[in-house]
Amino acid sequence: MIVCDNTQRRYALHTAHTTYQMAADADGRLLHLYYGKRTDAPRTIAPPHNDPGCWPDLLPQEYPAPGLGDNHAPFFAPEWSDGSRAAALHFAGAEVCPAQEVLPGLPSFHTGGETLRITLQDPQSLTVTLRYTVFADCDLITRSAVVENTGSAPVTLRGVPSGVVDFARKDLDLITFDGAWAAERTPFRGPVRPGVQSIGSVGGIPTHAHNPAVVLCAPDATENRGDCWGLALVYSGNFRIQTERTTAGIRVSAGIEPYGFAWPLAPGECFSTPELALVYSEQGLGGMSRCFHDAVRSHLLRGRWRDLTAPRPVLLNSWEACYFTFNEEKLLTLARAAKTAGADLFVLDDGWFRGRNSDTTSLGDWVADCAKLPEGVPGLCRKIKALGLDFGIWVEPEAISPDSDLYRAHPDWALQIPGRDTLEIRHQYTLDFSRADVREGIWQQLTALLDSCPVRYLKWDVNRSLANVWSAALPADRQGEVYHRYVLGLYELQQRLVDRYPDLLLENCAGGGARFDFGMLYYSPQIWCSDNTDALDRLMIQYGTSFFYPPCVMGAHYSTVPNHTTGRTASVEARMAAALSGTFGFELDLTQYTPEQLDELRPFVDFYHAHGALLRTGTLYRLCPPDGGAAWAIAAPDGSEAVVFASGCVLDGRSLPLPFAAGHHAYRAAMLATGLEGCTERYSGESLAVHGLPLPALRGNMPGFLCHLQQED
Ligand code: GLA
């Protein structure tokens, strides 16, 4: 619900459990008053803010502007035609739009409630419209800003935050999600320090280093209680999220990274920022995550795959089984084994296109290598379908190998700065997706591939960050648009793809999980989490990922041991626990398995088929954070059913209290773990909630445990 009191110039956004308040003061400044637990009581800001001599620094502002006394690190940065960069944004009006507005060309949360539009004006003819949409059911508020040049002279935007939140308190912790290839989204928590702290990317994609999402929380906030605010950008390019602690409190600003960004606005033109998603929960980190999970499932995923009760296929991906070395017979043998193990879909990963026998060549030439696939992709697809499996394929549409026919025909299609060496990463360049003609060239190839046979699943990969960012299609004074236009181009192409192929299951990927964000989830209902499929490392990667993203969107596969990335060995159950907590699939050479070994995998596939709807739609409880082991559960919202997972050193005979267990019910627990196959127990809900579910003491390399709980009465 939105309260839009234009008499008092006070504005409040209410979700089921949270409230966000703003007011315009006598000087026309839009002040941020409150964001926290639901309340109808308006907050009054104490003097001295009414004192005309008061430093603007001390004011909690809703959308601060630089150069006129607010000495925080500036983010909003319009540059006027006289070279000045100051701005003063004065309140000019507010209104409620009953239906939520869409952001043109940008992904956003949708099917929410009303949108509040607050207009701010700079005297030099710039209008900023702040948009707030309320998703009351999952305590989500989204924000964005639209900047319009309402004057007669051009202005250049050199920084435009999606949102700024001023906290009146200084004692907050900041959690960021950082890492590297094969170690994505590891949470780092520490107090917000005085001065500026920031995370971000200048690599054109978010990269493995930081996820575009942060948590601010009370120092005593835990998994289950305490004040937590989550902020996440719905954006997949260069970003910055910064905190600044001053004597007045903590300011958090989030938006497109200002480096490399300069957006000229001619008179009458507008610029829309990406969206910023906000959640507050007093139920600790777990409560905050559950709000984001509900929001993603109800308001971000789209199309046919938004229906989470519709099963997602169990797939086998050929990458770790074959890498670049295969022929059609090998693929068909692998597909037969996958079918025996219970898979539904076979995915042909990298290496299938003309001359692609290593990562040094051929990106951009999306036609089958006849040496490997004598009857092309349609021939292989037909044979896979004949085995009773659906067919999927890998592409890297944004990439171009210097050694490719595409590059030889169109060298200017690659991002490159004239006069400089173009940086190769993984032996490849990046296509200039800011250009419509380049996108069209790739679109023609993609549609030719997808129209040639019934492709059910597409893995869209990007295996490097951007460098040499300069577009041959734009003049020198517009090169500051290229990074953002690249992202808009990516979004446009994925939008075309899902529009034209509504049944296609799209999975995004970026050298593992370097582009795992709300922006990409708008187009693909699942994203590959990490190239690291080691059961121990996946505990941390999937734990960190789960702060914002629900299990049902995390690409996770069961792979071989010793693990190809870490060399470690883990039990079947531990590897299955990690994979079943995500999208579930296989990524190993099942042709090496005996029929008996393939049969051993079946109970887990059957488990997925039996409980897949619960795993996709259920509520995640992180029971024990990763530290040599972890435990977590996915429960039905009413607590009537759940799957409990545990692996590693957690399996030492301890009991784990289950917060969702209903006291007055009895539960039947069916175990799936070595030595406990077929074993069932009965527990009272109260016993599970208070004393906990007894976990077995299991030894050996990374043991694992799965248990399905069902209420009996
Ligand atoms: C990336 C992906 C992998 C695989 C390879 C193929 O690394 O993350 O899953 O598709 O590319 O080259």
Side-chain angles (χ1 to χ4, degrees):
M1 185 181 77
I2 294 176
V3 179
C4 179
D5 179 351
N6 277 327
T7 312
Q8 303 274 333
R9 304 208 298 187
R10 285 186 157 273
Y11 306 94
L13 315 171
H14 296 294
T15 68
H17 306 100
T18 73
T19 293
Y20 190 110
Q21 295 173 342
M22 299 161 271
D25 73 3
D27 295 325
R29 285 177 291 222
L30 183 64
L31 303 182
H32 177 77
L33 300 186
Y34 174 79
Y35 183 29
K37 184 177 167 169
R38 166 110 199 198
T39 177
D40 290 321
R43 174 167 175 238
T44 312
I45 287 232
H49 96 277
N50 291 324
D51 171 0
C54 153
W55 282 80
D57 264 352
L58 299 176
L59 296 175
Q61 303 211 33
E62 196 53 32
Y63 201 78
L68 296 174
D70 180 343
N71 295 326
H72 285 82
F75 205 134
F76 181 54
E79 184 179 275
W80 307 94
S81 48
D82 63 2
S84 66
R85 289 197 181 182
L89 297 175
H90 294 292
F91 178 84
E95 60 178 344
V96 177
C97 310
Q100 181 202 346
E101 300 180 329
V102 293
L103 297 169
L106 285 165
S108 61
F109 284 85
H110 48 89
T111 56
E114 305 167 308
T115 299
L116 175 68
R117 293 163 56 107
I118 299 185
T119 307
L120 309 175
Q121 255 165 11
D122 180 88
Q124 289 199 18
S125 307
L126 199 67
T127 301
V128 177
T129 304
L130 304 180
R131 311 205 286 191
Y132 303 81
T133 301
V134 175
F135 299 78
D137 56 339
C138 44
D139 290 329
L140 174 77
I141 293 170
T142 58
R143 292 185 59 168
S144 59
V146 180
V147 184
E148 182 181 0
N149 181 352
T150 47
S152 52
V155 61
T156 300
L157 302 176
R158 295 190 176 275
V160 203
S162 295
V164 177
V165 182
D166 270 352
F167 292 87
R169 54 194 285 188
K170 287 177 267 185
D171 63 332
L172 291 176
D173 279 358
L174 172 68
I175 309 177
T176 55
F177 300 85
D178 315 303
W181 176 79
E184 294 90 340
R185 292 174 296 286
T186 303
F188 284 86
R189 177 172 178 168
V192 177
R193 289 188 286 107
V196 174
Q197 277 171 269
S198 73
I199 55 155
S201 165
V202 294
I205 61 175
T207 81
H208 300 96
H210 304 289
N211 196 253
V214 300
V215 179
L216 275 292
C217 62
D220 61 355
T222 63
E223 180 64 23
N224 300 316
R225 63 185 64 86
D227 294 323
C228 294
W229 292 264
L231 297 89
L233 286 162
V234 188
Y235 193 58
S236 316
N238 285 353
F239 75 97
R240 184 189 295 183
I241 305 179
Q242 72 186 30
T243 57
E244 183 171 12
R245 182 175 145 183
T246 66
T247 50
I250 293 170
R251 171 169 295 174
V252 188
S253 312
I256 295 175
E257 159 63 39
Y259 163 77
F261 177 82
W263 199 273
L265 280 185
E269 284 183 349
C270 287
F271 179 83
S272 291
T273 71
E275 199 167 73
L276 177 66
L278 304 167
V279 160
Y280 163 78
S281 173
E282 60 175 337
Q283 310 279 323
L285 298 163
M288 180 207 76
S289 296
R290 288 187 279 278
C291 291
F292 276 114
H293 296 178
D294 287 346
V296 167
R297 289 183 294 213
S298 308
H299 300 292
L300 188 61
L301 304 184
R302 296 181 306 159
R304 144 160 223 247
W305 301 103
R306 179 171 163 200
D307 177 7
L308 296 164
T309 55
R312 299 258 182 104
V314 176
L315 61 84
L316 178 130
N317 179 294
S318 67
W319 180 240
E320 288 197 20
C322 306
Y323 296 103
F324 296 103
T325 311
F326 56 83
N327 56 25
E328 192 180 71
E329 189 42 42
K330 167 76 185 184
L331 296 178
L332 292 173
T333 315
L334 185 59
R336 266 181 230 110
K339 178 72 184 167
T340 309
D344 307 307
L345 186 141
F346 180 85
V347 179
L348 176 55
D349 206 278
D350 199 351
W352 61 267
F353 43 100
R354 203 163 53 209
R356 180 75 167 174
N357 294 315
S358 72
D359 62 7
T360 59
T361 178
S362 305
L363 293 164
D365 300 342
W366 301 109
V367 286
D369 188 334
C370 295
K372 289 178 179 168
L373 305 177
E375 295 182 73
V377 174
L380 176 68
C381 178
R382 197 179 61 247
K383 292 166 200 168
I384 296 283
K385 300 273 304 173
L387 296 175
L389 290 166
D390 280 324
F391 178 72
I393 198 161
W394 175 98
V395 284
E396 193 176 348
E398 299 153 75
I400 180 166
S401 301
D403 180 8
S404 65
D405 291 343
L406 187 68
Y407 188 72
R408 283 182 279 277
H410 298 287
D412 65 306
W413 281 19
L415 287 170
Q416 49 200 309
I417 302 175
R420 286 189 188 277
D421 290 343
T422 305
L423 179 72
E424 284 183 32
I425 301 179
R426 209 193 188 208
H427 313 286
Q428 65 195 61
Y429 301 149
T430 306
L431 284 168
D432 181 358
F433 259 38
S434 73
R435 283 172 60 172
D437 57 339
V438 174
R439 295 196 301 274
E440 188 56 33
I442 292 301
W443 174 251
Q444 292 302 332
Q445 291 206 54
L446 282 181
T447 51
L449 172 68
L450 296 174
D451 291 343
S452 70
C453 57
V455 177
R456 181 93 169 129
Y457 162 105
L458 188 74
K459 179 173 169 189
W460 179 307
D461 204 349
V462 58
N463 270 306
R464 59 163 292 177
S465 54
L466 276 51
N468 301 82
V469 173
W470 188 91
S471 177
L474 288 173
D477 61 355
R478 292 189 55 194
Q479 293 297 324
E481 299 172 33
V482 180
Y483 274 113
H484 183 54
R485 285 199 183 281
Y486 180 97
V487 182
L488 294 177
L490 167 71
Y491 289 157
E492 185 216 66
L493 214 52
Q494 295 215 347
Q495 180 70 55
R496 282 175 84 179
L497 201 60
V498 297
D499 284 347
R500 177 162 167 151
Y501 305 99
D503 290 337
L504 182 72
L505 176 56
L506 182 63
E507 176 157 350
N508 271 294
C509 172
R515 194 164 63 186
F516 200 121
D517 56 71
F518 286 154
M520 298 317 288
L521 279 179
Y522 182 74
Y523 304 97
S524 69
Q526 53 194 59
I527 303 178
W528 184 229
C529 242
S530 175
D531 281 344
N532 187 345
T533 52
D534 175 274
L536 182 63
D537 286 353
R538 275 277 173 153
L539 291 183
M540 183 59 88
I541 293 167
Q542 294 182 198
Y543 168 78
T545 305
S546 76
F547 276 70
F548 290 87
Y549 311 100
C552 67
V553 306
M554 295 184 202
H557 297 166
Y558 177 86
S559 65
T560 196
V561 287
N563 182 269
H564 286 192
T565 303
T566 65
R568 271 197 298 255
T569 296
S571 67
V572 172
E573 290 82 1
R575 287 178 280 151
M576 283 292 182
L580 283 162
S581 303
T583 55
F584 192 53
F586 294 103
E587 187 155 342
L588 72 169
D589 190 356
L590 289 177
T591 63
Q592 304 299 312
Y593 274 44
T594 62
E596 295 72 36
Q597 286 174 313
L598 290 176
D599 282 346
E600 279 168 21
L601 302 174
R602 279 295 316 206
F604 297 95
V605 178
D606 294 344
F607 187 88
Y608 176 77
H609 283 136
H611 308 303
L614 171 67
L615 294 172
R616 287 186 296 276
T617 59
T619 307
L620 178 74
Y621 291 87
R622 295 180 293 246
L623 301 173
C624 188
D627 184 10
W632 62 102
I634 299 178
D638 64 359
S640 60
E641 193 187 358
V643 176
V644 178
F645 299 95
S647 56
C649 61
V650 172
L651 292 161
D652 59 1
R654 76 180 75 177
S655 292
L656 271 182
L658 303 179
F660 52 83
H664 47 287
H665 287 287
Y667 285 82
R668 180 176 176 277
M671 327 278 170
L672 195 57
T674 305
L676 297 170
E677 296 86 354
C679 187
T680 59
E681 296 282 347
R682 288 185 88 242
Y683 302 102
S684 76
E686 185 168 356
S687 164
L688 289 174
V690 176
H691 303 300
L693 175 72
L695 298 180
L698 297 176
R699 310 222 186 288
N701 267 339
M702 192 68 186
F705 169 83
L706 296 85
C707 172
H708 177 252
L709 290 165
Q710 177 76 59
Q711 254 176 25
E712 285 195 319
D713 43 25

